[in-house]
């Protein structure tokens, strides 16, 4: 069974949404909470897992497949949107925080892409969404966000979202790239991925960038985000406290008034 061949268009800049065009009988699947709007003639149905043939037969197989998704922060259920009307119909999915939506044509990417947890947004029916365990010792112990990732398989379109600006890098055979673990969005299956310790006592204590970073060695494609949601959340929380440390000084109070925080 091949994936449904869907057409799409991405709208917006900082807060994007993707509009998927469905021919009669075609189905798109969306992550729980990603749905934005749909036209009349589209039928919505909640399903276990991703609805692909790799999900397994019977209730037990479906529960096992759906349950694995909880390990990467996704819900047990997904929603299928099927065009049961006449003519083309459209359904749209929106990203949950500022950033970019990345279209992935799995057929052109070796039928498999590995993405960070929580990255999946929607896809053509038939795309399998499951987990990818990193088997290396360093990755397993110190990987943090990168230890358990999402695996997208199939020959259709899938869409993932990431924070801030997102760009793509193509690594040649043997080419090495190091980056913050949270900035990694996705990579193709030819990439050798691991977590490396940042050596040196000064780097460890005063570097401010964490003790580990991701290493990726080509060949393959890598997608990188400039603003991981974890980094954004930590900044929001730091400004959400009731007391700010600079409020004890006249200059700090004046600064709060100037930037709008003191009103």
């Amino acid at each position: 069974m091949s994936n449904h061949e869907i057409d799409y268009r991405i709208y917006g800049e900082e807060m994007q949404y993707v509009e998927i065009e469905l021919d009669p009988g075609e189905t798109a699947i969306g992550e729980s909470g990603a749905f934005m709007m749909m036209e009349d003639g589209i039928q919505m149905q909640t399903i276990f897992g991703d609805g692909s043939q790799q999900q397994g037969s019977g209730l037990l197989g479906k529960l096992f497949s759906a349950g694995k998704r909880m390990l990467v922060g996704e819900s047990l259920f997904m929603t299928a949107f099927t065009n049961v009307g006449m003519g083309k119909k459209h359904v749209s999915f929106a990203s949950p925080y500022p950033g970019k939506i990345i279209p992935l044509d799995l057929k052109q990417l070796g039928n498999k892409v590995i993405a960070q947890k929580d990255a999946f947004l929607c896809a053509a029916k038939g795309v399998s969404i499951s987990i990818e365990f990193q088997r290396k010792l360093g990755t397993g112990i110190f990987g943090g966000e990168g230890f358990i990732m999402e695996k997208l398989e199939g020959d259709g379109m899938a869409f993932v979202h990431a924070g801030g600006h997102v760009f793509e890098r193509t690594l040649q055979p043997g080419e090495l790239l190091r980056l913050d673990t949270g900035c990694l969005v996705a990579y193709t299956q030819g990439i050798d991925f691991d977590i490396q310790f940042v050596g040196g006592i000064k780097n460890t204590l005063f570097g401010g960038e964490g003790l580990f970073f991701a290493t990726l060695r080509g060949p393959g494609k890598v997608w990188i985000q400039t603003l991981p949601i974890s980094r954004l959340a930590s900044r929001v929380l730091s400004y959400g406290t009731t007391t700010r440390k600079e409020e004890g000084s006249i200059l700090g109070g004046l600064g709060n008034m100037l930037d709008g925080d003191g009103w």
Side-chain angles (χ1 to χ4, degrees), residues 171-194:
L171 301 182
Q172 301 303 317
E175 184 180 357
L176 181 67
L177 181 67
R178 296 184 177 92
L179 66 152
D180 182 273
T181 55
C183 292
L184 176 63
V185 178
Y187 58 91
T188 55
Q189 59 181 326
I191 294 289
D192 181 28
F193 169 70
D194 199 4

Side-chain angles (χ1 to χ4, degrees), residues 129-199:
I129 302 100
S130 58
I131 62 174
E132 176 79 3
F133 282 107
Q134 305 300 332
R135 297 176 179 86
K136 292 187 178 181
L137 181 62
T139 308
I141 295 177
F142 305 117
E145 296 182 15
F147 175 43
I148 301 178
M149 305 184 76
E150 288 184 334
K151 177 171 57 178
L152 309 177
E153 293 181 294
D155 59 11
M157 292 297 304
F159 301 87
V160 298
H161 62 86
H165 178 67
V166 179
F167 59 97
E168 176 186 317
R169 283 282 301 269
T170 299
L171 301 182
Q172 301 303 317
E175 184 180 357
L176 181 67
L177 181 67
R178 296 184 177 92
L179 66 152
D180 182 273
T181 55
C183 292
L184 176 63
V185 178
Y187 58 91
T188 55
Q189 59 181 326
I191 294 289
D192 181 28
F193 169 70
D194 199 4
I195 300 293
Q196 184 174 342
F197 177 71
V198 180

